[in-house]
Amino acid sequence: MSKVPLTKRLFANYANELRSFVFKKFGSGEDSEDIVQDTFHNFLCVDSPESIDNPRAFLYQTAKNLALNRIRKQKYHERYLQDQPEGFGLVFCQGLF
């Protein structure tokens, strides 16, 4: 079976429940949509997706990992910004406008 028909079938069957799953973990509709899209993109990048025993589990695990990575990245970014002095970055931007 080709990747594209398999992916279309999986998308039709699981995209909505994956969105709900990610939204519960992440809490943002827009980010949830991005994560679900990235999940199916990752599935398309698998060399032989038909060899995956449980595609639904693969999709859920991929979505969970992508959501956790995004949360970690946001927390790191927030901590970085908190550690910067007041007005950090404004001087650079003032010269651009």
Side-chain angles (χ1 to χ4, degrees):
M1 181 181 285
S2 172
K3 285 184 197 184
V4 174
L6 175 60
T7 305
K8 283 183 179 181
R9 185 171 49 85
L10 292 171
F11 188 84
N13 290 339
Y14 301 121
N16 287 333
E17 68 181 71
L18 274 173
R19 256 184 234 101
S20 296
F21 170 75
V22 174
F23 184 78
K24 288 176 189 172
K25 284 206 164 296
F26 200 73
S28 168
E30 193 172 295
D31 288 328
S32 299
E33 194 66 40
D34 289 344
I35 289 168
V36 170
Q37 182 177 356
D38 290 346
T39 298
F40 281 97
H41 176 263
N42 286 1
F43 186 82
L44 276 170
C45 292
V46 172
D47 285 336
S48 52
E50 63 280 347
S51 68
I52 297 172
D53 290 332
N54 189 342
R56 183 175 182 260
F58 176 90
L59 293 171
Y60 269 84
Q61 188 63 51
T62 301
K64 177 183 171 187
N65 291 343
L66 290 169
L68 290 173
N69 287 345
R70 191 170 289 212
I71 290 168
R72 277 189 213 106
K73 186 176 179 180
Q74 283 180 341
K75 286 182 181 179
Y76 175 81
H77 183 71
E78 288 168 7
R79 279 194 309 267
Y80 174 79
L81 291 178
Q82 287 174 352
D83 291 343
Q84 301 309 312
E86 187 73 27
F88 174 76
L90 294 179
V91 174
F92 175 75
C93 293
Q94 288 174 349
L96 294 177
F97 299 103

Short mmCIF file of all heavy atoms in Angstrom, two decimals, residues 6-62:
data_model
loop_
_atom_site.label_atom_id
_atom_site.label_comp_id
_atom_site.label_asym_id
_atom_site.label_seq_id
_atom_site.Cartn_x
_atom_site.Cartn_y
_atom_site.Cartn_z
N LEU A 6 -2.69 5.45 2.61
CA LEU A 6 -2.68 5.03 4.01
C LEU A 6 -2.76 6.25 4.92
O LEU A 6 -3.54 6.28 5.87
CB LEU A 6 -1.43 4.22 4.31
CG LEU A 6 -1.21 3.81 5.77
CD1 LEU A 6 -2.38 2.95 6.26
CD2 LEU A 6 0.11 3.08 5.93
N THR A 7 -1.99 7.27 4.62
CA THR A 7 -1.99 8.48 5.44
C THR A 7 -3.34 9.19 5.38
O THR A 7 -3.84 9.66 6.39
CB THR A 7 -0.86 9.43 4.99
OG1 THR A 7 0.37 8.72 5.02
CG2 THR A 7 -0.77 10.64 5.89
N LYS A 8 -3.95 9.24 4.19
CA LYS A 8 -5.28 9.85 4.07
C LYS A 8 -6.30 9.10 4.91
O LYS A 8 -7.14 9.72 5.58
CB LYS A 8 -5.73 9.86 2.60
CG LYS A 8 -5.10 10.92 1.77
CD LYS A 8 -5.67 10.89 0.36
CE LYS A 8 -5.07 11.96 -0.51
NZ LYS A 8 -5.64 11.96 -1.86
N ARG A 9 -6.25 7.78 4.88
CA ARG A 9 -7.18 6.99 5.67
C ARG A 9 -6.97 7.22 7.16
O ARG A 9 -7.92 7.42 7.92
CB ARG A 9 -7.02 5.50 5.33
CG ARG A 9 -8.02 4.59 6.01
CD ARG A 9 -7.97 3.17 5.49
NE ARG A 9 -6.63 2.60 5.43
CZ ARG A 9 -6.02 2.01 6.46
NH1 ARG A 9 -6.60 1.93 7.63
NH2 ARG A 9 -4.81 1.49 6.31
N LEU A 10 -5.71 7.22 7.58
CA LEU A 10 -5.41 7.47 9.00
C LEU A 10 -5.83 8.88 9.41
O LEU A 10 -6.34 9.08 10.51
CB LEU A 10 -3.92 7.25 9.27
CG LEU A 10 -3.43 5.82 9.17
CD1 LEU A 10 -1.92 5.76 9.25
CD2 LEU A 10 -4.06 4.96 10.26
N PHE A 11 -5.60 9.85 8.52
CA PHE A 11 -6.00 11.22 8.83
C PHE A 11 -7.51 11.30 9.01
O PHE A 11 -8.00 11.90 9.97
CB PHE A 11 -5.54 12.17 7.72
CG PHE A 11 -5.76 13.61 8.05
CD1 PHE A 11 -4.83 14.30 8.80
CD2 PHE A 11 -6.91 14.27 7.64
CE1 PHE A 11 -5.04 15.64 9.14
CE2 PHE A 11 -7.12 15.61 7.97
CZ PHE A 11 -6.18 16.29 8.71
N ALA A 12 -8.25 10.68 8.11
CA ALA A 12 -9.72 10.70 8.20
C ALA A 12 -10.19 10.02 9.49
O ALA A 12 -11.15 10.47 10.12
CB ALA A 12 -10.32 10.00 6.99
N ASN A 13 -9.51 8.97 9.90
CA ASN A 13 -9.93 8.22 11.09
C ASN A 13 -9.49 8.84 12.40
O ASN A 13 -10.19 8.71 13.41
CB ASN A 13 -9.41 6.78 11.02
CG ASN A 13 -10.08 5.96 9.94
OD1 ASN A 13 -11.17 6.29 9.49
ND2 ASN A 13 -9.42 4.91 9.52
N TYR A 14 -8.32 9.48 12.42
CA TYR A 14 -7.73 9.86 13.71
C TYR A 14 -7.41 11.34 13.91
O TYR A 14 -7.05 11.74 15.02
CB TYR A 14 -6.45 9.06 13.95
CG TYR A 14 -6.67 7.57 13.96
CD1 TYR A 14 -6.00 6.75 13.06
CD2 TYR A 14 -7.56 6.98 14.85
CE1 TYR A 14 -6.21 5.38 13.06
CE2 TYR A 14 -7.78 5.63 14.85
CZ TYR A 14 -7.10 4.83 13.96
OH TYR A 14 -7.31 3.48 13.95
N ALA A 15 -7.50 12.15 12.89
CA ALA A 15 -7.09 13.56 13.04
C ALA A 15 -7.88 14.28 14.12
O ALA A 15 -7.29 14.99 14.95
CB ALA A 15 -7.21 14.29 11.71
N ASN A 16 -9.19 14.10 14.15
CA ASN A 16 -10.00 14.82 15.15
C ASN A 16 -9.69 14.36 16.57
O ASN A 16 -9.57 15.18 17.48
CB ASN A 16 -11.49 14.65 14.85
CG ASN A 16 -11.92 15.47 13.66
OD1 ASN A 16 -11.31 16.49 13.34
ND2 ASN A 16 -12.95 15.02 12.97
N GLU A 17 -9.55 13.05 16.77
CA GLU A 17 -9.25 12.60 18.13
C GLU A 17 -7.83 12.97 18.54
O GLU A 17 -7.58 13.26 19.71
CB GLU A 17 -9.53 11.11 18.31
CG GLU A 17 -8.65 10.16 17.57
CD GLU A 17 -9.04 8.70 17.82
OE1 GLU A 17 -10.09 8.26 17.32
OE2 GLU A 17 -8.26 8.01 18.50
N LEU A 18 -6.90 13.02 17.59
CA LEU A 18 -5.55 13.49 17.91
C LEU A 18 -5.57 14.96 18.30
O LEU A 18 -4.89 15.36 19.25
CB LEU A 18 -4.61 13.30 16.71
CG LEU A 18 -3.95 11.95 16.57
CD1 LEU A 18 -3.20 11.87 15.25
CD2 LEU A 18 -3.02 11.66 17.72
N ARG A 19 -6.37 15.77 17.59
CA ARG A 19 -6.50 17.19 17.93
C ARG A 19 -7.00 17.34 19.37
O ARG A 19 -6.48 18.15 20.13
CB ARG A 19 -7.48 17.88 16.98
CG ARG A 19 -6.81 18.72 15.96
CD ARG A 19 -7.80 19.48 15.09
NE ARG A 19 -7.50 19.18 13.71
CZ ARG A 19 -8.15 18.31 12.95
NH1 ARG A 19 -9.20 17.71 13.38
NH2 ARG A 19 -7.76 18.10 11.72
N SER A 20 -8.01 16.57 19.72
CA SER A 20 -8.55 16.63 21.09
C SER A 20 -7.51 16.20 22.11
O SER A 20 -7.35 16.83 23.16
CB SER A 20 -9.78 15.72 21.21
OG SER A 20 -10.81 16.18 20.40
N PHE A 21 -6.80 15.14 21.81
CA PHE A 21 -5.75 14.63 22.70
C PHE A 21 -4.68 15.69 22.93
O PHE A 21 -4.30 15.97 24.07
CB PHE A 21 -5.15 13.37 22.07
CG PHE A 21 -3.91 12.86 22.73
CD1 PHE A 21 -3.98 12.20 23.94
CD2 PHE A 21 -2.66 13.03 22.13
CE1 PHE A 21 -2.83 11.71 24.56
CE2 PHE A 21 -1.52 12.56 22.73
CZ PHE A 21 -1.60 11.89 23.95
N VAL A 22 -4.21 16.30 21.85
CA VAL A 22 -3.15 17.31 21.97
C VAL A 22 -3.68 18.56 22.66
O VAL A 22 -2.99 19.15 23.49
CB VAL A 22 -2.56 17.65 20.58
CG1 VAL A 22 -1.58 18.80 20.66
CG2 VAL A 22 -1.89 16.43 19.98
N PHE A 23 -4.91 18.95 22.37
CA PHE A 23 -5.50 20.13 23.00
C PHE A 23 -5.57 19.95 24.52
O PHE A 23 -5.27 20.87 25.27
CB PHE A 23 -6.88 20.42 22.43
CG PHE A 23 -7.49 21.67 22.98
CD1 PHE A 23 -7.08 22.91 22.51
CD2 PHE A 23 -8.45 21.62 23.97
CE1 PHE A 23 -7.62 24.08 23.02
CE2 PHE A 23 -9.00 22.78 24.49
CZ PHE A 23 -8.58 24.01 24.01
N LYS A 24 -5.93 18.75 24.97
CA LYS A 24 -5.99 18.49 26.42
C LYS A 24 -4.60 18.60 27.04
O LYS A 24 -4.45 19.05 28.17
CB LYS A 24 -6.57 17.10 26.69
CG LYS A 24 -8.05 17.04 26.42
CD LYS A 24 -8.57 15.63 26.60
CE LYS A 24 -10.01 15.55 26.12
NZ LYS A 24 -10.50 14.17 26.09
N LYS A 25 -3.57 18.17 26.32
CA LYS A 25 -2.21 18.24 26.84
C LYS A 25 -1.62 19.64 26.73
O LYS A 25 -0.87 20.08 27.57
CB LYS A 25 -1.29 17.29 26.08
CG LYS A 25 -1.45 15.87 26.42
CD LYS A 25 -0.15 15.14 26.13
CE LYS A 25 -0.11 13.82 26.81
NZ LYS A 25 -0.12 13.83 28.24
N PHE A 26 -2.00 20.33 25.65
CA PHE A 26 -1.31 21.58 25.31
C PHE A 26 -2.13 22.82 25.56
O PHE A 26 -1.61 23.86 25.93
CB PHE A 26 -0.90 21.51 23.83
CG PHE A 26 0.18 22.45 23.46
CD1 PHE A 26 1.48 22.23 23.87
CD2 PHE A 26 -0.08 23.56 22.70
CE1 PHE A 26 2.49 23.10 23.53
CE2 PHE A 26 0.91 24.44 22.36
CZ PHE A 26 2.20 24.20 22.77
N GLY A 27 -3.44 22.74 25.32
CA GLY A 27 -4.33 23.84 25.64
C GLY A 27 -4.43 24.95 24.61
O GLY A 27 -4.96 26.00 24.90
N SER A 28 -3.92 24.76 23.42
CA SER A 28 -4.00 25.79 22.40
C SER A 28 -4.48 25.17 21.10
O SER A 28 -3.85 24.26 20.57
CB SER A 28 -2.63 26.44 22.19
OG SER A 28 -2.64 27.24 21.03
N GLY A 29 -5.59 25.69 20.57
CA GLY A 29 -6.15 25.13 19.35
C GLY A 29 -5.22 25.26 18.16
O GLY A 29 -5.05 24.33 17.37
N GLU A 30 -4.60 26.43 18.02
CA GLU A 30 -3.69 26.66 16.90
C GLU A 30 -2.46 25.76 17.00
O GLU A 30 -2.05 25.14 16.01
CB GLU A 30 -3.28 28.12 16.87
CG GLU A 30 -2.60 28.55 15.60
CD GLU A 30 -2.39 30.04 15.56
OE1 GLU A 30 -3.39 30.78 15.53
OE2 GLU A 30 -1.21 30.46 15.57
N ASP A 31 -1.88 25.68 18.18
CA ASP A 31 -0.71 24.81 18.38
C ASP A 31 -1.09 23.35 18.21
O ASP A 31 -0.32 22.56 17.66
CB ASP A 31 -0.09 25.04 19.75
CG ASP A 31 0.64 26.36 19.84
OD1 ASP A 31 1.19 26.82 18.81
OD2 ASP A 31 0.65 26.96 20.92
N SER A 32 -2.27 22.98 18.66
CA SER A 32 -2.73 21.60 18.51
C SER A 32 -2.84 21.24 17.05
O SER A 32 -2.44 20.15 16.63
CB SER A 32 -4.09 21.41 19.20
OG SER A 32 -4.00 21.66 20.56
N GLU A 33 -3.37 22.14 16.27
CA GLU A 33 -3.49 21.91 14.83
C GLU A 33 -2.11 21.73 14.19
O GLU A 33 -1.92 20.83 13.37
CB GLU A 33 -4.22 23.10 14.19
CG GLU A 33 -4.70 22.85 12.81
CD GLU A 33 -5.77 21.79 12.71
OE1 GLU A 33 -6.66 21.73 13.57
OE2 GLU A 33 -5.71 20.99 11.76
N ASP A 34 -1.16 22.56 14.59
CA ASP A 34 0.20 22.45 14.07
C ASP A 34 0.83 21.10 14.44
O ASP A 34 1.50 20.46 13.62
CB ASP A 34 1.10 23.57 14.60
CG ASP A 34 0.78 24.92 14.03
OD1 ASP A 34 0.07 24.99 12.99
OD2 ASP A 34 1.22 25.92 14.62
N ILE A 35 0.62 20.69 15.67
CA ILE A 35 1.20 19.43 16.14
C ILE A 35 0.60 18.25 15.39
O ILE A 35 1.31 17.33 14.99
CB ILE A 35 1.02 19.30 17.67
CG1 ILE A 35 1.95 20.30 18.37
CG2 ILE A 35 1.30 17.87 18.13
CD1 ILE A 35 1.69 20.49 19.83
N VAL A 36 -0.70 18.27 15.17
CA VAL A 36 -1.34 17.18 14.42
C VAL A 36 -0.81 17.16 12.99
O VAL A 36 -0.49 16.09 12.44
CB VAL A 36 -2.88 17.30 14.45
CG1 VAL A 36 -3.54 16.33 13.49
CG2 VAL A 36 -3.39 17.06 15.87
N GLN A 37 -0.67 18.32 12.38
CA GLN A 37 -0.11 18.38 11.03
C GLN A 37 1.32 17.83 11.00
O GLN A 37 1.67 17.03 10.13
CB GLN A 37 -0.13 19.81 10.51
CG GLN A 37 0.38 19.94 9.10
CD GLN A 37 0.28 21.36 8.57
OE1 GLN A 37 -0.24 22.25 9.24
NE2 GLN A 37 0.78 21.58 7.39
N ASP A 38 2.12 18.22 11.98
CA ASP A 38 3.50 17.71 12.06
C ASP A 38 3.53 16.20 12.30
O ASP A 38 4.41 15.51 11.80
CB ASP A 38 4.27 18.43 13.17
CG ASP A 38 4.56 19.88 12.85
OD1 ASP A 38 4.41 20.29 11.68
OD2 ASP A 38 4.92 20.62 13.79
N THR A 39 2.56 15.71 13.06
CA THR A 39 2.47 14.27 13.32
C THR A 39 2.27 13.50 12.02
O THR A 39 2.97 12.51 11.76
CB THR A 39 1.30 13.98 14.29
OG1 THR A 39 1.56 14.63 15.54
CG2 THR A 39 1.13 12.49 14.52
N PHE A 40 1.34 13.96 11.19
CA PHE A 40 1.10 13.27 9.93
C PHE A 40 2.26 13.47 8.95
O PHE A 40 2.57 12.57 8.16
CB PHE A 40 -0.25 13.70 9.33
CG PHE A 40 -1.39 12.99 10.00
CD1 PHE A 40 -2.10 13.59 11.02
CD2 PHE A 40 -1.74 11.70 9.63
CE1 PHE A 40 -3.14 12.94 11.65
CE2 PHE A 40 -2.78 11.03 10.25
CZ PHE A 40 -3.47 11.65 11.27
N HIS A 41 2.90 14.61 9.02
CA HIS A 41 4.10 14.82 8.20
C HIS A 41 5.17 13.80 8.59
O HIS A 41 5.81 13.18 7.72
CB HIS A 41 4.63 16.24 8.36
CG HIS A 41 5.89 16.48 7.61
ND1 HIS A 41 7.12 16.39 8.21
CD2 HIS A 41 6.12 16.76 6.30
CE1 HIS A 41 8.06 16.63 7.31
NE2 HIS A 41 7.47 16.85 6.15
N ASN A 42 5.38 13.61 9.89
CA ASN A 42 6.37 12.63 10.34
C ASN A 42 6.00 11.22 9.87
O ASN A 42 6.87 10.45 9.49
CB ASN A 42 6.48 12.65 11.87
CG ASN A 42 7.22 13.86 12.38
OD1 ASN A 42 7.64 14.71 11.62
ND2 ASN A 42 7.35 13.95 13.69
N PHE A 43 4.70 10.92 9.88
CA PHE A 43 4.26 9.61 9.42
C PHE A 43 4.59 9.44 7.94
O PHE A 43 5.04 8.37 7.51
CB PHE A 43 2.75 9.44 9.65
CG PHE A 43 2.27 8.06 9.31
CD1 PHE A 43 2.41 7.02 10.22
CD2 PHE A 43 1.69 7.79 8.09
CE1 PHE A 43 1.98 5.74 9.91
CE2 PHE A 43 1.25 6.52 7.77
CZ PHE A 43 1.40 5.48 8.68
N LEU A 44 4.40 10.50 7.15
CA LEU A 44 4.73 10.43 5.72
C LEU A 44 6.23 10.24 5.48
O LEU A 44 6.62 9.70 4.45
CB LEU A 44 4.27 11.70 5.01
CG LEU A 44 2.82 11.74 4.57
CD1 LEU A 44 2.45 13.14 4.09
CD2 LEU A 44 2.56 10.73 3.47
N CYS A 45 7.04 10.67 6.43
CA CYS A 45 8.49 10.55 6.28
C CYS A 45 9.02 9.16 6.64
O CYS A 45 10.19 8.86 6.37
CB CYS A 45 9.20 11.60 7.14
SG CYS A 45 8.91 13.27 6.54
N VAL A 46 8.19 8.31 7.21
CA VAL A 46 8.61 6.95 7.55
C VAL A 46 8.83 6.18 6.24
O VAL A 46 8.01 6.24 5.32
CB VAL A 46 7.52 6.25 8.42
CG1 VAL A 46 7.84 4.78 8.62
CG2 VAL A 46 7.38 6.97 9.74
N ASP A 47 9.93 5.46 6.17
CA ASP A 47 10.26 4.73 4.94
C ASP A 47 9.21 3.71 4.53
O ASP A 47 8.83 3.64 3.37
CB ASP A 47 11.62 4.03 5.08
CG ASP A 47 12.78 5.02 4.98
OD1 ASP A 47 12.60 6.10 4.39
OD2 ASP A 47 13.85 4.71 5.52
N SER A 48 8.77 2.91 5.47
CA SER A 48 7.76 1.89 5.14
C SER A 48 6.67 1.89 6.22
O SER A 48 6.70 1.07 7.14
CB SER A 48 8.38 0.51 4.98
OG SER A 48 9.16 0.20 6.10
N PRO A 49 5.72 2.82 6.11
CA PRO A 49 4.69 2.95 7.15
C PRO A 49 3.81 1.71 7.29
O PRO A 49 3.26 1.47 8.37
CB PRO A 49 3.86 4.15 6.69
CG PRO A 49 4.15 4.31 5.25
CD PRO A 49 5.52 3.76 5.03
N GLU A 50 3.70 0.91 6.24
CA GLU A 50 2.90 -0.30 6.33
C GLU A 50 3.52 -1.32 7.29
O GLU A 50 2.83 -2.23 7.75
CB GLU A 50 2.67 -0.92 4.95
CG GLU A 50 3.90 -1.39 4.23
CD GLU A 50 4.70 -0.28 3.54
OE1 GLU A 50 4.20 0.84 3.39
OE2 GLU A 50 5.84 -0.56 3.16
N SER A 51 4.79 -1.15 7.62
CA SER A 51 5.44 -2.06 8.56
C SER A 51 5.16 -1.69 10.02
O SER A 51 5.52 -2.44 10.92
CB SER A 51 6.94 -2.09 8.31
OG SER A 51 7.51 -0.85 8.64
N ILE A 52 4.53 -0.55 10.25
CA ILE A 52 4.19 -0.14 11.61
C ILE A 52 3.01 -0.99 12.08
O ILE A 52 1.96 -1.01 11.44
CB ILE A 52 3.84 1.37 11.67
CG1 ILE A 52 5.06 2.19 11.28
CG2 ILE A 52 3.33 1.76 13.05
CD1 ILE A 52 4.79 3.67 11.13
N ASP A 53 3.22 -1.72 13.18
CA ASP A 53 2.19 -2.64 13.67
C ASP A 53 0.92 -1.94 14.10
O ASP A 53 -0.18 -2.41 13.86
CB ASP A 53 2.73 -3.47 14.86
CG ASP A 53 3.78 -4.47 14.42
OD1 ASP A 53 3.74 -4.91 13.24
OD2 ASP A 53 4.65 -4.81 15.25
N ASN A 54 1.07 -0.80 14.77
CA ASN A 54 -0.09 -0.09 15.30
C ASN A 54 0.03 1.39 14.92
O ASN A 54 0.55 2.20 15.70
CB ASN A 54 -0.15 -0.27 16.82
CG ASN A 54 -1.42 0.25 17.42
OD1 ASN A 54 -2.14 1.05 16.81
ND2 ASN A 54 -1.71 -0.18 18.63
N PRO A 55 -0.46 1.76 13.72
CA PRO A 55 -0.31 3.15 13.28
C PRO A 55 -0.96 4.17 14.22
O PRO A 55 -0.45 5.26 14.40
CB PRO A 55 -0.99 3.17 11.91
CG PRO A 55 -1.07 1.76 11.47
CD PRO A 55 -1.09 0.94 12.71
N ARG A 56 -2.08 3.81 14.82
CA ARG A 56 -2.76 4.72 15.75
C ARG A 56 -1.84 5.03 16.94
O ARG A 56 -1.69 6.18 17.34
CB ARG A 56 -4.07 4.11 16.23
CG ARG A 56 -4.85 5.02 17.14
CD ARG A 56 -6.22 4.37 17.46
NE ARG A 56 -7.02 5.24 18.29
CZ ARG A 56 -7.15 5.09 19.61
NH1 ARG A 56 -6.54 4.09 20.23
NH2 ARG A 56 -7.89 5.93 20.29
N ALA A 57 -1.22 4.01 17.49
CA ALA A 57 -0.29 4.21 18.62
C ALA A 57 0.91 5.06 18.18
O ALA A 57 1.36 5.92 18.93
CB ALA A 57 0.17 2.87 19.17
N PHE A 58 1.40 4.81 16.97
CA PHE A 58 2.51 5.61 16.44
C PHE A 58 2.12 7.07 16.37
O PHE A 58 2.88 7.95 16.77
CB PHE A 58 2.89 5.09 15.04
CG PHE A 58 3.96 5.91 14.37
CD1 PHE A 58 5.29 5.61 14.54
CD2 PHE A 58 3.62 7.00 13.56
CE1 PHE A 58 6.27 6.38 13.91
CE2 PHE A 58 4.59 7.77 12.95
CZ PHE A 58 5.92 7.46 13.12
N LEU A 59 0.91 7.35 15.86
CA LEU A 59 0.44 8.73 15.73
C LEU A 59 0.31 9.40 17.10
O LEU A 59 0.73 10.54 17.29
CB LEU A 59 -0.89 8.78 14.98
CG LEU A 59 -0.83 8.38 13.51
CD1 LEU A 59 -2.24 8.27 12.94
CD2 LEU A 59 -0.01 9.37 12.70
N TYR A 60 -0.28 8.67 18.06
CA TYR A 60 -0.44 9.23 19.40
C TYR A 60 0.91 9.50 20.06
O TYR A 60 1.10 10.55 20.69
CB TYR A 60 -1.29 8.31 20.28
CG TYR A 60 -2.75 8.63 20.21
CD1 TYR A 60 -3.55 8.15 19.18
CD2 TYR A 60 -3.35 9.45 21.16
CE1 TYR A 60 -4.90 8.46 19.11
CE2 TYR A 60 -4.69 9.76 21.10
CZ TYR A 60 -5.46 9.27 20.07
OH TYR A 60 -6.79 9.59 20.00
N GLN A 61 1.83 8.56 19.95
CA GLN A 61 3.15 8.75 20.57
C GLN A 61 3.89 9.91 19.92
O GLN A 61 4.51 10.72 20.60
CB GLN A 61 3.98 7.46 20.47
CG GLN A 61 5.27 7.53 21.26
CD GLN A 61 5.04 7.68 22.75
OE1 GLN A 61 4.28 6.93 23.35
NE2 GLN A 61 5.67 8.66 23.37
N THR A 62 3.79 10.01 18.61
CA THR A 62 4.44 11.12 17.90
C THR A 62 3.84 12.44 18.31
O THR A 62 4.57 13.41 18.60
CB THR A 62 4.31 10.92 16.37
OG1 THR A 62 4.92 9.67 16.01
CG2 THR A 62 4.96 12.05 15.61
#
